Amino acid sequence: MTAQTAPSLTQNVTTIDAGAHVTAIGWLKGTAAFGLSDGGVLLAKDDETHRVEAHPDAGILVGVSDGERFVTGGDDGRVAVTGTDGSTKTLAETKGAWIDSLAVSPGGAFAYGAGKRVIARDEKGREKVLEVPTTARGLAFAPKGYRLAISHYNGATLWFPNVEAKPESLEWKGSHLDVTWSPDARFVVTSMQENALHGWRLLPDKGHMRMSGYPSKTRSLSWSHDGKWLATSGAEAAVIWPFESKEGPMGKQPRECGVRPAKVSRVAFHPNAYVLAVAYEDGCILLVRLTDASELLVRPAVKGSGITALAWDKSGKRLAFGCEDGQAGILTLPT
Amino acid sequence: MTDKIPVTVLTGYLGAGKTTLLNRILTEPHGKRYAVIVNEFGEIGIDNELVVGADEEVFEMNNGCICCTVRGDLIRILDGLMKRKGKFDAIIVETTGLADPAPVAQTFFMDQDVSDAARLDAVVTVADAKWLSDRLKDAPEAKNQIAFADVIILNKIDLVTADELAEVEARIRAINPYARLHRTQNCSLPIAEVLDRNAFDLDRIIEIEPDFLEEGHHHHHDEEMQSISVKLDGEVDPEKFMPWISNLTQVEGPNILRCKGIVAFPDEPKRFVFQGVHMILDGDVQGDWKPGEKRSSRVVFIGRDLNEKAIKEGFLATAA
């Protein structure tokens, strides 16, 4: 089945003019927050939008949400937080560094990278700083406990900010970009400059997992709700690795879903079903059901409007997307 | 091709005048907006430009060969800048005085995302007329920067005599006879000589250097860094030439800083043009041979400890 013949959900999409390249999306309960490359955060609820100047005269490079607030990092060296009421304030500020790596924990802690320094602030406001060997590219909090994975050149570092012990080093030659932690905390996976993923099995043996074969870099990673699958971008299909066994995906073939003649730019697993949202560089978005590979069209290809951000709300009823040309939209699933 | 953002790489040994040139570029009324990637803030007196600090993180890719080094920080910064497309027309990368230009240049060929969005326009090297000769003796970085350059700005000429100037020019030419050379005081020169050079564009190799196929450069020799030019009055056999050039750049890649060439293939109405940085080769057929024009072939290499005899014989053996 191809995108052209897929049954369509396009009439269930509300389009939004975000006005600038959308770099990140977060859901704050019923409100979608779009982080923009011109420094603004566009809040969208029902049919209304409200723009907040979170990074005036600057650009938002990264944004993450804990369900309550939208935390953004900018090329102004600031970490800002925006709420559903349109209030915004500075959480942290560094001189001269871009903030392009950021993570929030469900408990209210957050961490950001500024060059080689990683700064973590817990929910009580206690701040700890760790210097890693080279620029921190990706940050991810462990699913439980106050522990941070940091990806950088030649590996990743696992750090308990509030524990004195020396951080743990996970080594693998090469430049590691984004990092993610499996929902059961058994695996840490990075995307790499060399068009591959690298994973470490933390339990029981610190084994390496090499997942290669991508024609380009993977910059979007998404775990299924039960942690059994890891969906990735970077190929002309969503590449989905099986993680249900203790060994991880070693020796197994990944699944490929949504094969189209365009590169997948973003992926987002539905929060409680085996449904994957697959977004492409040519602007198309599909929903793919893993059980039978059936596809639903959310957005047809639009020239110059590649998808740059994609996020489900907590209930899985709505999917927000944003594009490089400032177009955006929200799909509301029919009930 | 045309909608890729041009990137100018500014190199030069400490104190040669890079910042002076940068400030000159930024303050001139050219109506263009630049994103500037610098190593240190503070020296640039411009506040309406997009200025980004870099860390010069040189990363090895794949097998860890010197030819596969890239600037990881540049990949990251360009990724961020591309989200703000439309806010600037061109990018200038200023390197530290001690930097090897190769990883910067290679970044634009090795990283797909970068090469999709941006194109290397030229490597511009600022050199201090008074001190360059000394630096060429004691600083390998200074030599690399001269060898790598498409444009050389020989600055502070007011501090040297005519004889000294001739001597330093001869030294530069011994290393790199092909770069465009300008003599300046306070880096004063028309900005068009620095920006929009298209030095890495195969199309333009012929336009910039219409005499490329003419012999005529004097061949000085630096003890270590050298340029080798070989001309063949006629065509080369692609079945022999392609394996030869690709093998040469693979084997000698670490020693070859730059190479370029224009060659004639039998029954091919267009010229085959190539250029390379260490092991990375880029080549294509470009531009028709003109009616009545003599179909000849020429290759040039700038590098360190190159075996001139082997290269000459190897190239001549590819004759059709």
Side-chain angles (χ1 to χ4, degrees):
Chain A
M1 189 178 284
T2 66
Q4 283 70 39
T5 60
S8 175
L9 287 172
T10 50
Q11 69 281 3
N12 298 73
V13 173
T14 309
T15 58
I16 294 167
D17 177 11
H21 181 121
V22 180
T23 49
I25 297 174
W27 280 94
L28 317 174
K29 297 206 174 79
T31 302
F34 297 84
L36 307 176
S37 71
D38 66 358
V41 169
L42 191 74
L43 299 171
K45 187 176 164 59
D46 303 325
D47 283 336
E48 299 204 355
T49 60
H50 174 62
R51 188 183 153 100
V52 181
E53 299 302 331
H55 296 261
D57 301 319
I60 292 176
L61 295 165
V62 60
V64 285
S65 163
D66 58 6
E68 303 279 332
R69 24 180 221 163
F70 189 48
V71 182
T72 50
D75 55 17
D76 53 359
R78 287 171 57 245
V79 179
V81 58
T82 303
T84 48
D85 58 355
S87 64
T88 189
K89 65 173 190 199
T90 301
L91 272 186
E93 196 160 8
T94 61
K95 258 263 180 288
W98 282 15
I99 310 299
D100 56 4
S101 57
L102 198 58
V104 292
S105 81
F110 74 96
Y112 63 98
K116 292 174 188 164
R117 292 166 68 236
V118 178
I119 298 99
R121 196 185 291 174
D122 69 12
E123 67 282 1
K124 294 188 180 121
R126 288 175 297 190
E127 200 169 273
K128 295 286 159 58
V129 179
L130 177 71
E131 183 139 329
V132 288
T134 61
T135 299
R137 293 297 306 270
L139 298 176
F141 276 108
K144 289 199 182 78
Y146 186 46
R147 193 180 196 194
L148 195 63
I150 305 153
S151 56
H152 45 74
Y153 186 48
N154 286 344
T157 298
L158 305 182
W159 178 40
F160 287 107
N162 282 349
V163 176
E164 284 298 317
K166 193 169 173 283
E168 188 177 338
S169 288
L170 302 175
E171 291 175 10
W172 188 261
K173 221 175 161 194
S175 181
H176 299 259
L177 310 174
D178 304 297
V179 62
T180 180
W181 216 306
S182 68
D184 61 6
R186 282 191 303 163
F187 304 101
V188 165
V189 179
T190 61
S191 60
M192 295 190 65
Q193 170 73 27
E194 285 90 353
N195 301 346
L197 305 183
H198 195 82
W200 290 269
R201 250 188 326 261
L202 301 182
L203 294 168
D205 60 350
K206 297 273 163 18
H208 290 281
M209 299 175 287
R210 184 118 181 101
M211 291 156 271
S212 56
Y214 292 88
S216 68
K217 281 180 247 177
T218 293
R219 297 310 307 269
S220 178
L221 303 140
S222 177
W223 293 93
S224 63
H225 61 283
D226 54 7
K228 287 182 177 168
W229 299 94
L230 175 65
T232 61
S233 69
E236 291 188 343
V239 177
I240 308 165
W241 296 94
F243 273 84
E244 45 194 332
S245 82
K246 279 194 178 65
E247 291 74 42
M250 289 305 87
K252 302 188 184 81
Q253 287 295 313
R255 289 185 60 174
E256 292 186 18
C257 283
V259 181
R260 287 183 69 248
K263 218 178 278 170
V264 172
S265 56
R266 307 301 303 175
V267 287
F269 256 117
H270 189 277
N272 44 44
Y274 279 140
V275 170
L276 181 69
V278 186
Y280 301 82
E281 279 184 358
D282 68 355
C284 176
I285 303 173
L286 297 178
L287 292 189
V288 183
R289 189 161 59 197
L290 250 56
T291 47
D292 59 1
S294 62
E295 296 173 357
L296 290 168
L297 180 68
V298 176
R299 186 181 195 245
V302 178
K303 200 169 167 9
S305 187
I307 309 296
T308 51
L310 191 65
W312 288 98
D313 72 353
K314 204 177 164 193
S315 65
K317 290 191 179 114
R318 279 166 300 186
L319 174 74
F321 64 87
C323 311
E324 58 184 312
D325 63 350
Q327 296 190 49
I330 296 174
L331 164 74
T332 305
L333 289 181
T335 44
Chain B
M1 179 91 210
T2 43
D3 57 355
K4 288 190 188 181
I5 307 270
V7 181
T8 303
V9 176
L10 217 54
T11 75
Y13 212 69
L14 306 166
K18 279 193 308 278
T19 306
T20 308
L21 177 64
L22 190 55
N23 278 327
R24 194 171 277 280
I25 293 170
L26 297 179
T27 47
E28 208 140 292
H30 39 55
K32 284 202 172 175
R33 296 157 305 168
Y34 293 98
V36 186
I37 302 173
V38 297
N39 299 288
E40 278 165 359
F41 284 102
E43 290 180 81
I44 303 176
I46 306 300
D47 41 36
N48 58 354
E49 308 280 343
L50 202 48
V51 180
V52 188
D55 302 311
E56 296 213 337
E57 292 185 331
V58 175
F59 291 168
E60 289 171 357
M61 279 181 75
N62 309 321
N63 54 10
C65 162
I66 182 187
C67 310
C68 303
T69 53
V70 296
R71 282 269 305 270
D73 58 314
L74 264 188
I75 297 175
R76 181 178 70 95
I77 288 169
L78 288 164
D79 180 48
L81 281 177
M82 288 312 151
K83 293 171 182 162
R84 306 191 75 184
K85 252 184 173 165
K87 298 274 174 226
F88 53 90
D89 307 298
I91 297 172
I92 300 170
V93 181
E94 184 198 28
T95 67
T96 60
L98 295 172
D100 176 1
V104 186
Q106 285 168 175
T107 303
F108 294 89
F109 300 99
M110 297 283 291
D111 185 87
Q112 190 65 44
D113 296 336
V114 169
S115 68
D116 284 350
R119 63 171 178 85
L120 185 55
D121 185 68
V123 176
V124 176
T125 298
V126 185
D128 182 322
K130 189 165 174 63
W131 295 109
L132 181 69
S133 296
D134 288 350
R135 293 294 81 78
L136 290 178
K137 286 175 202 150
D138 64 14
E141 300 86 1
K143 214 175 246 187
N144 275 353
Q145 291 165 357
I146 294 294
F148 225 91
D150 299 292
V151 176
I152 296 171
I153 296 168
L154 189 53
N155 194 32
K156 307 193 186 179
I157 53 165
D158 49 321
L159 302 181
V160 294
T161 64
D163 284 351
E164 286 168 333
L165 187 61
E167 144 118 38
V168 71
E169 272 189 33
R171 281 190 179 277
I172 289 173
R173 284 313 187 193
I175 295 168
N176 185 340
Y178 309 105
R180 193 66 78 96
L181 192 138
H182 300 278
R183 303 173 196 91
T184 64
Q185 268 176 252
N186 294 322
C187 288
S188 172
L189 80 167
I191 294 309
E193 295 294 340
V194 177
L195 302 174
D196 270 330
R197 303 300 307 163
N198 283 296
F200 285 82
D201 184 351
L202 295 173
D203 248 343
R204 287 286 302 272
I205 288 180
I206 304 169
E207 281 178 53
I208 297 175
E209 301 176 63
D211 303 331
F212 185 83
L213 287 171
E214 305 301 318
E215 207 74 59
H217 292 294
H218 294 288
H219 289 259
H220 308 275
H221 279 285
D222 182 83
E223 308 77 43
E224 181 203 12
M225 194 78 81
Q226 69 217 112
S227 64
I228 294 171
S229 157
V230 198
K231 191 178 175 198
L232 194 154
D233 281 322
E235 297 165 336
V236 299
D237 178 354
E239 301 290 327
K240 292 181 193 159
F241 175 77
M242 299 308 266
W244 173 77
I245 185 78
S246 122
N247 182 61
L248 179 68
T249 48
Q250 289 307 301
V251 175
E252 291 292 322
N255 292 327
I256 298 172
L257 274 70
R258 297 282 296 265
C259 68
K260 52 177 105 170
I262 299 174
V263 296
F265 291 151
D267 305 319
E268 170 57 61
K270 291 180 188 298
R271 311 146 185 258
F272 180 80
V273 184
F274 72 92
Q275 64 92 14
V277 173
H278 285 306
M279 277 188 192
I280 303 166
L281 262 185
D282 181 22
D284 203 356
V285 287
Q286 300 269 333
D288 284 337
W289 292 97
K290 292 182 187 66
E293 187 181 9
K294 191 148 169 265
R295 291 164 70 94
S296 59
S297 304
R298 182 165 166 229
V299 291
V300 304
F301 298 89
I302 295 177
R304 193 171 258 129
D305 301 324
L306 299 177
N307 183 338
E308 183 161 7
K309 186 162 171 280
I311 290 176
K312 281 196 167 152
E313 288 172 1
F315 177 58
L316 295 174
T318 69

